[in-house]
Amino acid sequence: LRAAGATVLPVDADELGRIRLRQTLEVMHSELGVRSLMVEGGAKVLGSFLGEGHANHVIITVAPKLVGGLRPTLGGQPGGAEGFTARG
């Protein structure tokens, strides 16, 4: 990635091998000056940001087709995003 011009910032993984979001956001802010980030993803990615309180603005687009599973969830909450409140 570096050879292609990307900046690579090492961060720790949790016990399941996932990046630690808080640390990642802090490193992006301190090393690159990132103050705002648009996150696109599926239920697991978006649910992680919402569940850990890292979202202050949410735009949800509903597509006519679901891809990737028979019972989609957001943040491990059956039925979708109910119970999540954006903080600003």
Side-chain angles (χ1 to χ4, degrees):
L1 293 174
R2 285 187 176 110
T7 300
V8 178
L9 302 171
V11 294
D12 296 327
D14 68 11
E15 60 279 350
L16 298 176
R18 300 173 301 199
I19 64 167
R20 296 187 185 276
L21 290 179
R22 178 166 304 284
Q23 179 195 24
T24 301
L25 296 172
E26 288 171 354
V27 168
M28 290 172 66
H29 177 70
S30 66
E31 298 290 323
L32 303 174
V34 173
R35 295 176 44 120
S36 179
L37 182 68
M38 184 180 99
V39 177
E40 291 185 281
K44 289 182 180 180
V45 170
L46 298 176
S48 293
F49 275 85
L50 289 168
E52 292 184 28
H54 299 305
N56 63 5
H57 186 85
V58 177
I59 297 173
I60 297 176
T61 303
V62 179
K65 278 189 164 183
L66 295 176
V67 179
L70 299 176
R71 295 180 54 187
T73 64
L74 185 57
Q77 303 296 317
E82 294 85 4
F84 287 111
T85 303
R87 298 182 291 190

